[in-house]
Amino acid sequence: GLQFGPLPAEVNAALTALADQYPDLIKFDAARGMLRFAADLTFDSGSDVVKEQAKQALGALAQILNNSAASGYDVVVEGHTDSQRISQPSTRAKHPTNRHLSAHRSIAVIDDLMKMGVNPGRLMAAGWGEFRPAVMNSASGNTPANRRVEIFIVKSAGASPAAETVPTSTGTSIT
């Protein structure tokens, strides 16, 4: 049910300006309503801690998302990795697979956006690991173009329907 692009002209212009302000960090695809953050500039290798430069860009993104023109849009944050296996034992203890690392990075981006005032009900995280490469992985799996975080601005599907209330044998209700 996700509806991608086109975005309102004001939001599109603001996201284009954001990508222009951080050309090495962010690429903006207006047709898809997608910002692609280069993971190597957003996170250290094997880490889910957002770097300061990326936090500045996320702060500017939060301002755009908190503007009334973007209020009818949700934010889907997708993490991606290359196919290189996680080899450091300390990294593997926190992120056992590339899928875990990619999901943890998405969650870290969402956590920062929430701290910057974006409504958590508008934010969703996904971690694809190495399974949706942007380009063919190299033989070693070390393919920087595949290490990325993609942020999609999608038309809000609205609040989910209320859960059904089911009466119990004690007369109380559960949902």
Side-chain angles (χ1 to χ4, degrees):
L2 298 178
Q3 297 178 13
F4 297 92
L7 297 170
E10 180 181 339
V11 174
N12 193 58
L15 294 173
T16 299
L18 176 65
D20 289 346
Q21 184 179 353
Y22 296 94
D24 295 332
L25 178 65
I26 303 171
K27 304 295 181 226
F28 177 53
D29 180 345
R32 296 173 64 204
M34 187 262 294
L35 296 160
R36 177 175 288 167
F37 281 67
D40 292 350
L41 298 175
T42 309
F43 301 96
D44 286 330
S45 179
S47 171
D48 63 349
V49 176
V50 179
K51 290 182 176 182
E52 275 310 308
Q53 178 188 5
K55 282 187 183 204
Q56 291 173 7
L58 287 174
L61 175 59
Q63 289 180 339
I64 295 167
L65 295 173
N66 288 329
N67 184 301
S68 62
S71 65
Y73 290 82
D74 290 335
V75 182
V76 178
V77 181
E78 296 183 353
H80 299 268
T81 66
D82 59 19
S83 62
Q84 189 172 29
R85 298 284 170 233
I86 296 174
S87 59
Q88 293 288 353
S90 60
T91 302
R92 204 171 37 246
K94 188 170 183 185
H95 317 289
T97 67
N98 281 327
R99 185 178 303 266
H100 287 88
L101 176 59
S102 67
H104 295 159
R105 286 178 170 177
S106 293
I107 292 166
V109 167
I110 283 175
D111 286 346
D112 279 348
L113 288 172
M114 285 188 311
K115 289 175 190 168
M116 297 167 185
V118 179
N119 180 337
R122 296 175 58 202
L123 302 169
M124 183 181 90
W128 290 107
E130 68 269 27
F131 299 108
R132 299 261 173 116
V135 299
M136 181 75 78
N137 275 298
S138 66
S140 71
N142 184 4
T143 311
N146 290 333
R147 299 189 297 259
R148 66 201 191 279
V149 172
E150 294 175 341
I151 300 176
F152 293 88
I153 315 300
V154 299
K155 188 73 176 155
S156 177
S160 61
E164 289 185 37
T165 302
V166 180
T168 66
S169 59
T170 62
T172 60
S173 296
I174 58 172
T175 55

